[in-house]
Amino acid sequence: MRTKHTIAAALSVTLMTAAQAGTIVSAVSATVLSGGPGVGNIADTYNQFGLFTDYTSGVTDYDTYFAANPLHDVQFDGQEWFSNSGTSTAAVSYDLGSVQSIQGMALWNEDASGIGSLNLLGSKDGTTWFSLLSNLSPTNNPFGVSYGADLYKWAATDLRYVRLDMSNCPQPNDGGFKACSIGEVAFNAAPASTVPETSSLSLALMGVGLVGAGFLRRRQA
């Protein structure tokens, strides 16, 4: 027999699951802010070139996609971007095309000239920036081996731009080219509404209350 506590717990789990669900979205453009123009096309870091498993931006479930550990090819041409030769720092901003609620991102840290330290910032207008995550240490992927993604999470935040401030490049397992490099990035878009509407939540809680009242009456009878 389901008690009011059981139903309340089930409701809580349902609401938590809804709040955490998200879709994977791609940037629509990117700008090299420093350390550039670099080697390669910065668009190759968000257009899925080099990924062995494609996704549909705005449709594919973020958690399901990354549960399969999608890998990136080690080949550079048309698939990765490097900052200028000899640089140890660089900055790139990604434009998602509109203000969206974003709760994290994935970074495929390139195997030959990986990012040693990383700060992530967000912005609604591309001018005023705020911190998302700081002092990150992306995975130092082995040189010459297809590599997976590092997943970073933060509280759902309305933004249009995400900036990567890279430093301490390259990591020790580098291929001899001294620069910062990105294989691919993708972003975790939160659901349109992570908080149930007041009316829906009230009805749900009312239902729990009614069931609980009925349960108490049966015990008192």
Side-chain angles (χ1 to χ4, degrees):
M1 180 181 296
R2 302 181 71 186
T3 68
K4 65 175 181 177
H5 302 292
T6 302
I7 295 174
L11 174 62
S12 176
V13 169
T14 299
L15 297 181
M16 288 175 63
T17 300
Q20 294 172 351
T23 55
I24 182 171
V25 295
S26 174
V28 298
S29 66
T31 302
V32 179
L33 301 175
S34 66
V39 181
N41 188 344
I42 191 61
D44 291 332
T45 66
Y46 62 83
N47 59 14
Q48 302 187 54
F49 288 7
L51 292 180
F52 291 117
T53 305
D54 291 339
Y55 62 85
T56 302
S57 181
V59 175
T60 302
D61 182 82
Y62 184 91
D63 291 338
T64 301
Y65 179 79
F66 285 105
N69 188 31
L71 299 178
H72 193 285
D73 194 356
V74 298
Q75 297 300 316
F76 156 70
D77 190 26
Q79 299 182 146
E80 300 171 338
W81 173 84
F82 293 76
S83 62
N84 293 337
S85 177
T87 57
S88 61
T89 63
V92 174
S93 68
Y94 290 92
D95 181 1
L96 303 183
S98 63
V99 174
Q100 303 180 46
S101 181
I102 302 298
Q103 57 188 6
M105 66 164 284
L107 166 69
W108 284 264
N109 195 28
E110 203 273 337
D111 63 299
S113 299
I115 303 164
S117 300
L118 177 66
N119 293 331
L120 300 177
L121 300 93
S123 175
K124 289 185 177 181
D125 58 10
T127 301
T128 302
W129 298 90
F130 48 85
S131 177
L132 296 170
L133 295 173
S134 301
N135 301 316
L136 302 173
S137 298
T139 299
N140 186 12
N141 292 306
F143 174 62
V145 179
S146 298
Y147 49 96
D150 291 317
L151 304 181
Y152 301 115
K153 297 181 180 179
W154 57 78
T157 304
D158 289 340
L159 54 81
R160 174 172 174 170
Y161 302 89
V162 177
R163 190 174 89 198
L164 279 62
D165 283 357
M166 301 164 271
S167 60
N168 295 327
C169 308
Q171 290 183 324
N173 291 338
D174 68 86
F177 188 78
K178 305 303 181 183
C180 297
S181 184
I182 301 171
E184 187 86 12
V185 298
F187 303 91
N188 185 356
S193 176
T194 58
V195 179
E197 295 183 3
T198 303
S199 58
S200 299
L201 181 60
S202 298
L203 289 173
L205 293 176
M206 183 182 298
V208 172
L210 290 174
V211 171
F215 175 75
L216 289 176
R217 282 197 297 271
R218 286 195 297 274
R219 293 197 60 181
Q220 291 171 354

